[in-house]
Amino acid sequence: MKIHDNNFLITGANRGIGLAVAKMAAREKARLHLVSRQPIGDLKDELLKLGAKSVVSYTADFSTREGVERLIQDLQKEKIDLLFNNAGL
């Protein structure tokens, strides 16, 4: 699987396995699209320092229909190459 230069969407990206995958993908120079319930804060800077080409964050609560629909709307303009679906809900 080629990660370098691809748009990589990771759900549950702010902690645990999702965060570890985000860091790994950053080192591989991916363009990261991170989804989490809470804003990612300083994580964006850390991932850019690790080598990510770009980092875009989305805040979404998958336990509500509105949260899922808003994320779908936000992603309409993006070309996602890889998905790591790690969200807990």
Side-chain angles (χ1 to χ4, degrees):
M1 171 174 54
K2 181 183 172 224
I3 295 174
H4 180 80
D5 278 334
N6 277 314
N7 290 297
F8 197 172
L9 176 66
I10 303 169
T11 65
N14 62 323
R15 61 188 178 142
I17 294 170
L19 177 57
V21 170
K23 288 179 178 181
M24 179 273 309
R27 288 184 196 99
E28 294 291 324
K29 311 234 182 306
R31 291 184 202 95
L32 298 175
H33 299 265
L34 308 177
V35 182
S36 61
R37 280 193 199 177
Q38 305 297 322
I40 62 169
D42 295 336
L43 179 57
K44 179 177 180 176
D45 293 334
E46 179 183 351
L47 294 170
L48 289 169
K49 285 178 186 174
L50 285 172
K53 295 267 180 141
S54 62
V55 179
V56 180
S57 65
Y58 308 90
T59 304
D61 183 352
F62 289 165
S63 69
T64 68
R65 182 178 184 96
E66 294 80 18
V68 173
E69 288 175 350
R70 186 174 57 240
L71 179 63
I72 290 169
Q73 272 189 335
D74 290 345
L75 291 173
Q76 291 289 323
K77 59 188 173 257
E78 302 294 340
K79 176 189 170 274
I80 302 300
D81 300 302
L82 303 165
L83 167 65
F84 187 76
N85 194 15
N86 178 64
L89 293 174

